[in-house]
mmCIF file of all heavy atoms in Angstrom:
data_model
loop_
_atom_site.group_PDB
_atom_site.id
_atom_site.type_symbol
_atom_site.label_atom_id
_atom_site.label_comp_id
_atom_site.label_asym_id
_atom_site.label_seq_id
_atom_site.Cartn_x
_atom_site.Cartn_y
_atom_site.Cartn_z
ATOM 1 N N GLY A 72 -19.817 -26.502 -15.835
ATOM 2 C CA GLY A 72 -19.001 -25.496 -16.517
ATOM 3 C C GLY A 72 -18.112 -24.730 -15.562
ATOM 4 O O GLY A 72 -18.272 -24.804 -14.347
ATOM 5 N N ARG A 73 -17.182 -24.030 -16.138
ATOM 6 C CA ARG A 73 -16.232 -23.235 -15.382
ATOM 7 C C ARG A 73 -16.891 -22.002 -14.792
ATOM 8 O O ARG A 73 -17.769 -21.419 -15.395
ATOM 9 C CB ARG A 73 -15.181 -22.705 -16.355
ATOM 10 C CG ARG A 73 -13.931 -23.409 -16.342
ATOM 11 C CD ARG A 73 -12.994 -22.941 -17.405
ATOM 12 N NE ARG A 73 -12.966 -21.510 -17.666
ATOM 13 C CZ ARG A 73 -12.270 -20.996 -18.659
ATOM 14 N NH1 ARG A 73 -11.598 -21.783 -19.459
ATOM 15 N NH2 ARG A 73 -12.258 -19.710 -18.870
ATOM 16 N N THR A 74 -16.454 -21.598 -13.610
ATOM 17 C CA THR A 74 -16.979 -20.357 -13.051
ATOM 18 C C THR A 74 -16.340 -19.195 -13.806
ATOM 19 O O THR A 74 -15.118 -19.129 -13.901
ATOM 20 C CB THR A 74 -16.564 -20.228 -11.577
ATOM 21 O OG1 THR A 74 -16.539 -21.510 -11.012
ATOM 22 C CG2 THR A 74 -17.473 -19.316 -10.823
ATOM 23 N N PRO A 75 -17.152 -18.293 -14.337
ATOM 24 C CA PRO A 75 -16.535 -17.132 -14.981
ATOM 25 C C PRO A 75 -16.085 -16.146 -13.906
ATOM 26 O O PRO A 75 -16.614 -16.173 -12.798
ATOM 27 C CB PRO A 75 -17.692 -16.532 -15.788
ATOM 28 C CG PRO A 75 -18.925 -16.925 -15.036
ATOM 29 C CD PRO A 75 -18.617 -18.216 -14.307
ATOM 30 N N VAL A 76 -15.121 -15.298 -14.216
ATOM 31 C CA VAL A 76 -14.743 -14.266 -13.242
ATOM 32 C C VAL A 76 -15.935 -13.330 -13.082
ATOM 33 O O VAL A 76 -16.414 -12.743 -14.047
ATOM 34 C CB VAL A 76 -13.500 -13.479 -13.728
ATOM 35 C CG1 VAL A 76 -13.189 -12.353 -12.752
ATOM 36 C CG2 VAL A 76 -12.303 -14.404 -13.873
ATOM 37 N N ARG A 77 -16.428 -13.230 -11.849
ATOM 38 C CA ARG A 77 -17.615 -12.381 -11.624
ATOM 39 C C ARG A 77 -17.265 -11.062 -10.956
ATOM 40 O O ARG A 77 -18.028 -10.119 -10.982
ATOM 41 C CB ARG A 77 -18.629 -13.151 -10.777
ATOM 42 C CG ARG A 77 -19.179 -14.368 -11.526
ATOM 43 C CD ARG A 77 -20.351 -14.953 -10.793
ATOM 44 N NE ARG A 77 -19.960 -15.701 -9.608
ATOM 45 C CZ ARG A 77 -20.794 -16.000 -8.627
ATOM 46 N NH1 ARG A 77 -22.043 -15.590 -8.683
ATOM 47 N NH2 ARG A 77 -20.381 -16.696 -7.598
ATOM 48 N N ALA A 78 -16.113 -11.037 -10.293
ATOM 49 C CA ALA A 78 -15.688 -9.771 -9.685
ATOM 50 C C ALA A 78 -14.204 -9.610 -9.908
ATOM 51 O O ALA A 78 -13.435 -10.564 -9.768
ATOM 52 C CB ALA A 78 -16.002 -9.775 -8.195
ATOM 53 N N LEU A 79 -13.815 -8.400 -10.276
ATOM 54 C CA LEU A 79 -12.401 -8.112 -10.531
ATOM 55 C C LEU A 79 -11.953 -6.989 -9.600
ATOM 56 O O LEU A 79 -12.584 -5.930 -9.547
ATOM 57 C CB LEU A 79 -12.225 -7.669 -11.992
ATOM 58 C CG LEU A 79 -10.833 -7.166 -12.372
ATOM 59 C CD1 LEU A 79 -9.801 -8.287 -12.285
ATOM 60 C CD2 LEU A 79 -10.846 -6.572 -13.784
ATOM 61 N N ILE A 80 -10.885 -7.245 -8.871
ATOM 62 C CA ILE A 80 -10.344 -6.215 -7.978
ATOM 63 C C ILE A 80 -8.947 -5.853 -8.485
ATOM 64 O O ILE A 80 -8.052 -6.701 -8.509
ATOM 65 C CB ILE A 80 -10.252 -6.732 -6.520
ATOM 66 C CG1 ILE A 80 -11.626 -7.222 -6.043
ATOM 67 C CG2 ILE A 80 -9.701 -5.643 -5.595
ATOM 68 C CD1 ILE A 80 -11.623 -7.893 -4.670
ATOM 69 N N LEU A 81 -8.784 -4.620 -8.928
ATOM 70 C CA LEU A 81 -7.473 -4.171 -9.414
ATOM 71 C C LEU A 81 -6.751 -3.426 -8.305
ATOM 72 O O LEU A 81 -7.338 -2.546 -7.657
ATOM 73 C CB LEU A 81 -7.637 -3.228 -10.605
ATOM 74 C CG LEU A 81 -7.906 -3.839 -11.966
ATOM 75 C CD1 LEU A 81 -7.976 -2.751 -13.029
ATOM 76 C CD2 LEU A 81 -6.854 -4.869 -12.337
ATOM 77 N N VAL A 82 -5.499 -3.784 -8.093
ATOM 78 C CA VAL A 82 -4.705 -3.158 -7.022
ATOM 79 C C VAL A 82 -3.333 -2.780 -7.580
ATOM 80 O O VAL A 82 -2.902 -3.344 -8.584
ATOM 81 C CB VAL A 82 -4.513 -4.136 -5.825
ATOM 82 C CG1 VAL A 82 -5.834 -4.493 -5.181
ATOM 83 C CG2 VAL A 82 -3.786 -5.395 -6.267
ATOM 84 N N PRO A 83 -2.638 -1.840 -6.912
ATOM 85 C CA PRO A 83 -1.360 -1.404 -7.484
ATOM 86 C C PRO A 83 -0.180 -2.349 -7.297
ATOM 87 O O PRO A 83 0.700 -2.382 -8.127
ATOM 88 C CB PRO A 83 -1.083 -0.069 -6.771
ATOM 89 C CG PRO A 83 -1.903 -0.094 -5.537
ATOM 90 C CD PRO A 83 -3.072 -0.978 -5.799
ATOM 91 N N THR A 84 -0.114 -3.071 -6.196
ATOM 92 C CA THR A 84 1.121 -3.836 -5.926
ATOM 93 C C THR A 84 0.854 -5.319 -5.677
ATOM 94 O O THR A 84 -0.261 -5.736 -5.355
ATOM 95 C CB THR A 84 1.848 -3.300 -4.671
ATOM 96 O OG1 THR A 84 1.006 -3.514 -3.535
ATOM 97 C CG2 THR A 84 2.174 -1.829 -4.793
ATOM 98 N N ARG A 85 1.940 -6.060 -5.812
ATOM 99 C CA ARG A 85 1.863 -7.514 -5.586
ATOM 100 C C ARG A 85 1.421 -7.827 -4.164
ATOM 101 O O ARG A 85 0.594 -8.689 -3.936
ATOM 102 C CB ARG A 85 3.251 -8.123 -5.770
ATOM 103 C CG ARG A 85 3.860 -7.841 -7.093
ATOM 104 C CD ARG A 85 5.353 -8.080 -7.026
ATOM 105 N NE ARG A 85 5.951 -7.812 -8.321
ATOM 106 C CZ ARG A 85 7.228 -8.001 -8.594
ATOM 107 N NH1 ARG A 85 8.040 -8.457 -7.653
ATOM 108 N NH2 ARG A 85 7.699 -7.750 -9.780
ATOM 109 N N GLU A 86 2.039 -7.115 -3.211
ATOM 110 C CA GLU A 86 1.711 -7.402 -1.817
ATOM 111 C C GLU A 86 0.238 -7.134 -1.534
ATOM 112 O O GLU A 86 -0.424 -7.915 -0.862
ATOM 113 C CB GLU A 86 2.570 -6.551 -0.869
ATOM 114 C CG GLU A 86 3.969 -7.061 -0.654
ATOM 115 C CD GLU A 86 4.906 -6.720 -1.811
ATOM 116 O OE1 GLU A 86 4.516 -5.920 -2.683
ATOM 117 O OE2 GLU A 86 6.027 -7.259 -1.839
ATOM 118 N N LEU A 87 -0.244 -6.028 -2.086
ATOM 119 C CA LEU A 87 -1.646 -5.703 -1.832
ATOM 120 C C LEU A 87 -2.550 -6.753 -2.483
ATOM 121 O O LEU A 87 -3.557 -7.155 -1.914
ATOM 122 C CB LEU A 87 -1.966 -4.294 -2.343
ATOM 123 C CG LEU A 87 -3.302 -3.733 -1.881
ATOM 124 C CD1 LEU A 87 -3.381 -3.652 -0.358
ATOM 125 C CD2 LEU A 87 -3.564 -2.352 -2.467
ATOM 126 N N ALA A 88 -2.161 -7.211 -3.671
ATOM 127 C CA ALA A 88 -2.958 -8.251 -4.336
ATOM 128 C C ALA A 88 -3.055 -9.481 -3.436
ATOM 129 O O ALA A 88 -4.143 -10.020 -3.205
ATOM 130 C CB ALA A 88 -2.324 -8.618 -5.679
#
Side-chain angles (χ1 to χ4, degrees):
R73 258 174 39 186
T74 326
V76 176
R77 294 191 285 161
L79 173 66
I80 304 174
L81 280 183
V82 297
T84 64
R85 304 162 180 184
E86 281 79 10
L87 192 60

